[in-house]
C-alpha cells in the first residue's frame, strides 16, 4: 500500500484511474488497497486532492475496468482465449464454472462478482462472451455493487490516513466481513435453488 500511496501522491487522480482500470483487466493489484490508497492521499493532502472527487474518479475507474473485460468478451467471444495473457485470467475451467453459475443464478452472479477478486474479471468477461446480459444491464448491476464497496474503502482511507497501522488492521477486518457476507449469500442462494428444485420435482 505504501508504494501505491507514493505513486498516487506524485500523479494524483490519473494514477488512481489508471491502476483501477488495469485492476479490471485482472492485474494482480488488490482493488480494495488501491481504493484505500486513493482515500489516504485525499486525507494527507486535502488542499490538492478532494476526497469526494477521488470517489467519483474511483467509481469511474472501477466501472471502466469492468466494462473493458465485458467488451473484450463480447467482441472476441471465446477467441479471446487464444491470447496467452487472457488464458491466465479466463481458463477453460473457469469459463465452464462461470457459465454454470450464470445458468443457476442468472444476473445475481454479476452483483456478487464485485466482491470476489479472483473471479471478478473472468465473470465479467464471460458475461460478454455469453451475451446473456446487455451492456446497459451489466453497468447497472456493476454500479449497484460498486456503490456499496467503493465509498467504504475510499472514505476509510481518508479517515485512517494519519494512522496506517490502524488502517491496515481495519482493511483486514473489512475483508473478513466481506468474505463472511459472501459466504452467507452463497449459502442462501444454494438453499433457495435446492428448495425451488424440490418444489419443481
Amino acid at each position: 500500500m505504501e508504494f501505491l500511496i507514493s505513486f498516487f501522491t506524485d500523479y494524483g487522480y490519473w494514477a488512481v484511474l489508471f491502476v483501477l482500470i488495469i485492476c479490471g483487466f485482472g492485474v494482480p493489484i488488490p482493488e480494495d488497497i488501491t481504493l484505500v490508497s486513493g482515500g489516504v492521499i485525499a486525507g494527507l493532502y486535502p488542499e490538492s486532492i478532494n476526497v469526494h472527487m477521488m470517489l467519483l474518479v474511483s467509481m469511474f475507474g472501477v466501472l471502466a475496468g469492468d466494462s473493458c473485460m465485458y467488451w473484450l468478451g463480447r467482441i472476441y467471444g471465446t477467441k479471446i482465449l487464444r491470447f496467452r495473457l487472457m488464458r491466465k485470467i479466463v481458463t477453460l475451467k473457469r469459463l465452464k464454472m462461470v457459465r454454470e453459475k450464470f445458468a443457476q443464478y442468472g444476473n445475481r452472479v454479476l452483483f456478487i462478482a464485485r466482491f470476489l477478486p479472483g473471479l471478478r474479471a473472468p465473470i465479467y468477461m464471460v458475461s460478454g462472451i455469453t451475451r446473456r446480459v446487455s451492456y446497459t444491464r451489466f453497468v447497472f448491476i456493476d454500479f449497484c455493487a460498486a456503490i456499496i464497496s467503493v465509498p467504504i474503502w475510499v472514505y476509510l482511507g481518508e479517515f485512517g490516513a494519519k494512522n496506517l497501522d490502524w488502517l491496515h488492521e481495519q482493511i483486514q477486518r473489512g475483508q473478513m466481513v466481506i468474505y463472511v457476507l459472501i459466504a452467507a449469500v452463497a449459502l442462501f442462494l444454494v438453499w433457495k435453488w435446492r428448495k425451488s428444485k424440490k418444489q419443481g420435482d
Side-chain angles (χ1 to χ4, degrees), residues 39-40 42-46 156-167:
V40 167
L44 292 176
Y45 309 103
L156 177 65
E158 184 209 19
F159 185 77
K162 298 294 194 327
N163 190 343
L164 293 184
D165 289 335
W166 175 86
L167 188 57

Side-chain angles (χ1 to χ4, degrees), residues 45-78:
Y45 309 103
E47 66 283 353
S48 57
I49 301 292
N50 181 276
V51 69
H52 306 303
M53 182 61 69
M54 180 60 73
L55 174 60
L56 291 176
V57 170
S58 298
M59 282 294 296
F60 181 79
V62 162
L63 295 176
D66 296 344
S67 295
C68 287
M69 295 305 291
Y70 173 89
W71 281 110
L72 281 172
R74 181 139 187 167
I75 293 170
Y76 293 101
T78 53

Side-chain angles (χ1 to χ4, degrees), residues 28-116:
I29 302 175
E31 187 180 272
D32 49 2
I33 300 299
T34 302
L35 293 168
V36 169
S37 299
V40 167
I41 65 167
L44 292 176
Y45 309 103
E47 66 283 353
S48 57
I49 301 292
N50 181 276
V51 69
H52 306 303
M53 182 61 69
M54 180 60 73
L55 174 60
L56 291 176
V57 170
S58 298
M59 282 294 296
F60 181 79
V62 162
L63 295 176
D66 296 344
S67 295
C68 287
M69 295 305 291
Y70 173 89
W71 281 110
L72 281 172
R74 181 139 187 167
I75 293 170
Y76 293 101
T78 53
K79 293 178 182 177
I80 196 73
L81 300 181
R82 294 177 183 175
F83 297 95
R84 183 179 299 176
L85 176 62
M86 291 303 167
R87 283 202 303 269
K88 292 181 179 179
I89 299 173
V90 185
T91 62
L92 288 173
K93 184 178 180 180
R94 279 183 173 179
L95 180 62
K96 181 181 178 182
M97 181 188 71
V98 173
R99 278 180 165 167
E100 290 174 352
K101 296 304 179 186
F102 265 113
Q104 290 178 357
Y105 306 117
N107 296 342
R108 287 169 291 185
V109 174
L110 286 176
F111 184 87
I112 296 173
R114 166 119 304 277
F115 309 99
L116 301 173

Side-chain angles (χ1 to χ4, degrees), residues 3 12 16 19 27 37 44 72 80 90 130 134 146 156 161 166 185 194:
F3 170 77
V16 175
V19 173
V27 174
S37 299
L44 292 176
L72 281 172
I80 196 73
V90 185
T130 59
S134 69
L156 177 65
W166 175 86
V185 171
R194 286 182 176 177

Side-chain angles (χ1 to χ4, degrees), residues 7-26:
F7 179 55
F8 293 165
T9 300
D10 292 337
Y11 299 101
Y13 300 119
W14 291 107
V16 175
L17 180 63
F18 170 74
V19 173
L20 285 172
I21 289 175
I22 64 173
C23 281
F25 278 88

